[in-house]
Amino acid sequence: MSQESSNKLSSARLNEPTDAFVEAFTASVEFDQRMYREDIEGSRAHARMLTKIGVLNDEDLQALLKGLDQIETEIAEGRFNWSIAQEDVHMNIEARLTEIVGDAGKRLHTGRSRNDQVATDIRLYLRSQIALAISEIRRLQRGMLELAEKEADTIMPGFTHLQVAQPVTFGHHILAWFEMMQRDASRLQDCADRMNVLPLGSAALAGTTYPLDRQYTAQLLGFDDVCRNSLDGVSDRDFAIEFCAASALLMTHLSRISEELVIWSSAQFNFINLPDRFCTGSSIMPQKKNPDVPELVRGKTGRVNGHLVSLLTLMKSQPLAYNKDNQEDKEPLFDTIDTILGSLRAFADMIPAIEAKKDNMYKAAQQGFATATDLADYLVRKGLPFRDAHDVVGRAVALGVESGRDLSEMSLQELQGFSEIISEDVFDVLTLEGSVAARNHIGGTAPEQVRQAIEDARQRMKGL
Ligand code: ARG
């Protein structure tokens, strides 16, 4: 980064050069340069539109397009001399353009302000990053379906209050994760759709005196429409907040999944094995294998939640229209993008590689009277009102606790001691297999339903 001072923008109005510290303090080029492609793309479209309405001539346009191409290459190849004196990505590129093509470069900013320029750049940039995030969510979802298919029949305890509640299939549990991701993808797409309107033409705040063809610029840049109010066009950052909100929820989901993976891979649960490539050892304890990836994702959720609060706070007191405060939107936004893309990538790689320790899961489901509700339902089917059935089973469970046995380990006689309507067929419902197979409806845990849900999920993914 070059530090040299230059006769920077609008200096004709100012009687002394900007203080060196203030120059560095107010500059954004160190972080907004990552939007250089979008800035150049926006300038190409603006130049074409200005030519179409006769503000630029064809010669200017060709020079500008050539210059912009050259700058894009220089930046991509790391040969571009970014300067703090030029403050931000927009001024750096414009200054270099003028260096390369002369007066045409100075004409590019006709009918445009950095206020509508930056609002356009962020939207273009975020649009492409949302597309990337959604494709990573899709990859993760495919991995989840792959694992769910493999584990459609695997029985594990389902929990409430982290206490064994009822048996479920592991495949069914994984499909719950799939649903979270499905909503996240749809929320991000929703944000992208609402964001896809063009601010250019709003100029500094009030619009411009040139007869701009805004719809043409929008069409060139792939926007669905133009912002309908210039004051709003330059000052609106709802989309950044929406994106961070959608990302905070996405991270919250990944964090909840992480928590389960951490618990399940502990020696005490021992339900799953996370392949070594997603874990690390300890520098002091030779026996350790730590689930670093889920732990880190759980931890990174905090920073994204923080970015959401940053942006809300950034916007809450700003009068219309643009204020320099808005420059502070970028770092939280960019860090949110990096965090969700990294977390999704790690998850998409890791999830299909999870190995289920089926025996341990099964044994855990045999504890804690997981089929007690099945016994109650059985009694209801035989004519007992549910509340009475609940009471009968409660007494049977008390005996189980006292004698250290599961319901399925009691004799028919013993069970009949609690209710004489119990007969031999009770043992069909007391098995774990019988219990999960009986929950055979849309959204239920039966292996048959899990297989059907996987098929449906593949279709639903295509729909979005
Ligand atoms: N770097 C600025 C930002 O990120 C660009 C817009 C500057 N506009 C202005 N009037 N100073 O918001």
Side-chain angles (χ1 to χ4, degrees):
M1 182 81 45
S2 136
Q3 302 279 339
E4 91 267 7
S5 246
S6 72
N7 53 330
K8 63 182 284 185
L9 48 148
S10 56
S11 60
R13 161 73 178 79
L14 305 174
N15 292 321
E16 56 175 358
T18 311
D19 175 89
F21 173 73
V22 170
E23 187 170 86
F25 186 70
T26 53
S28 56
V29 62
E30 293 207 39
F31 48 85
D32 66 15
Q33 58 180 267
R34 76 149 86 183
M35 302 191 300
Y36 79 88
R37 283 183 207 282
E38 290 71 21
D39 194 71
I40 289 173
E41 204 45 45
S43 288
R44 284 188 185 117
H46 184 64
R48 284 186 202 281
M49 184 276 295
L50 288 180
T51 310
K52 180 168 183 271
I53 63 169
V55 169
L56 292 181
N57 63 34
D58 204 54
E59 205 178 313
D60 284 337
L61 176 65
Q62 292 317 318
L64 287 170
L65 294 178
K66 206 160 155 263
L68 288 167
D69 284 351
Q70 181 182 329
I71 291 171
E72 192 168 21
T73 310
E74 286 175 4
I75 300 174
E77 293 177 355
R79 291 187 282 112
F80 191 87
N81 183 24
W82 295 105
S83 155
I84 279 184
Q86 293 298 340
E87 196 175 312
D88 55 25
V89 61
H90 325 291
M91 294 309 303
N92 267 269
I93 290 176
E94 189 184 314
R96 176 71 183 131
L97 190 61
T98 302
E99 227 171 73
I100 301 172
V101 306
D103 278 357
K106 296 188 199 162
R107 276 194 274 271
L108 173 63
H109 212 50
T110 312
R112 185 175 76 170
S113 153
R114 278 185 301 154
N115 298 351
D116 57 349
Q117 189 177 358
V118 70
T120 303
D121 290 3
I122 310 173
R123 285 168 193 252
L124 286 172
Y125 183 74
L126 197 52
R127 193 173 73 185
S128 72
Q129 300 305 303
I130 288 178
L132 271 183
I134 290 177
S135 74
E136 276 301 78
I137 292 177
R138 293 307 184 212
R139 190 163 76 86
L140 170 55
Q141 286 184 303
R142 284 195 296 276
M144 287 175 171
L145 294 181
E146 198 183 300
L147 184 62
E149 200 156 42
K150 222 165 47 190
E151 309 296 349
D153 297 284
T154 306
I155 290 176
M156 69 182 291
F159 298 92
T160 61
H161 313 271
L162 201 58
Q163 315 275 327
V164 171
Q166 290 173 356
V168 295
T169 49
F170 187 31
H172 188 59
H173 192 112
I174 294 157
L175 290 179
W177 298 344
F178 176 93
E179 293 302 323
M180 299 177 190
M181 293 300 114
Q182 184 72 359
R183 290 193 295 276
D184 289 323
S186 125
R187 253 187 294 271
L188 285 170
Q189 188 59 56
D190 212 35
C191 166
D193 291 346
R194 200 169 11 259
M195 176 178 73
N196 205 28
V197 287
L198 174 76
L200 277 180
S202 305
L205 75 164
T208 156
T209 56
Y210 302 93
L212 304 187
D213 186 344
R214 299 185 64 204
Q215 294 291 0
Y216 180 65
T217 315
Q219 192 192 321
L220 290 177
L221 292 172
F223 285 103
D224 299 324
D225 199 355
V226 300
C227 297
R228 293 301 172 131
N229 180 289
S230 62
L231 295 165
D232 184 54
V234 291
S235 63
D236 167 35
R237 294 293 182 274
D238 290 4
F239 58 89
I241 294 173
E242 279 188 43
F243 172 73
C244 283
S247 297
L249 255 177
L250 164 66
M251 289 302 293
T252 298
H253 291 149
L254 296 183
S255 181
R256 294 183 68 186
I257 299 172
S258 293
E259 176 72 2
E260 297 189 315
L261 298 180
V262 170
I263 293 175
W264 293 347
S265 59
S266 70
Q268 289 67 31
F269 269 75
N270 205 14
F271 280 6
I272 58 164
N273 181 42
L274 285 180
D276 291 359
R277 62 184 183 281
F278 301 107
C279 301
T280 63
S282 153
S283 59
I284 176 168
M285 297 169 283
Q287 83 283 13
K288 293 279 276 185
K289 174 177 158 181
N290 297 325
D292 285 46
V293 168
E295 284 175 299
L296 203 50
V297 168
R298 191 176 58 188
K300 282 177 185 292
T301 305
R303 66 203 278 163
V304 175
N305 289 352
H307 294 327
L308 171 60
V309 175
S310 295
L311 289 187
L312 286 166
T313 313
L314 174 69
M315 297 310 295
K316 74 175 275 295
S317 305
Q318 285 195 51
L320 294 176
Y322 177 87
N323 302 281
K324 184 76 168 180
D325 313 40
N326 279 347
Q327 186 165 289
E328 285 289 308
D329 63 358
K330 288 169 204 62
E331 287 162 294
L333 198 55
F334 295 161
D335 189 67
T336 298
I337 291 168
D338 293 343
T339 305
I340 67 166
L341 287 178
S343 302
L344 284 169
R345 178 181 171 165
F347 257 62
D349 291 345
M350 182 178 66
I351 292 292
I354 290 173
E355 294 156 20
K357 297 185 174 175
K358 299 181 203 238
D359 290 350
N360 295 344
M361 286 181 166
Y362 194 87
K363 275 186 215 128
Q366 283 174 315
Q367 285 153 25
F369 305 96
T371 56
T373 317
D374 297 84
L375 179 55
D377 289 344
Y378 168 89
L379 293 168
V380 168
R381 280 198 299 277
K382 299 242 167 180
L384 214 57
F386 183 79
R387 274 293 153 233
D388 294 340
H390 190 281
D391 191 57
V392 167
V393 179
R395 284 186 281 117
V397 166
L399 173 67
V401 172
E402 199 182 289
S403 59
R405 285 174 306 157
D406 185 55
L407 298 174
S408 60
E409 291 166 329
M410 293 179 191
S411 70
L412 181 59
Q413 248 176 340
E414 270 176 308
L415 289 170
Q416 281 172 337
F418 298 106
S419 165
E420 67 263 24
I421 59 173
I422 295 179
S423 56
E424 186 62 40
D425 59 355
V426 74
F427 292 104
D428 297 341
V429 307
L430 292 182
T431 65
L432 299 178
E433 287 77 5
S435 171
V436 293
R439 288 167 170 74
N440 195 10
H441 52 77
I442 293 180
T445 197
E448 192 185 324
Q449 287 299 329
V450 170
R451 291 201 181 83
Q452 184 60 50
I454 293 169
E455 218 173 279
D456 295 347
R458 295 208 162 106
Q459 292 306 317
R460 288 161 64 208
M461 264 170 75
K462 281 185 213 150
L464 198 101

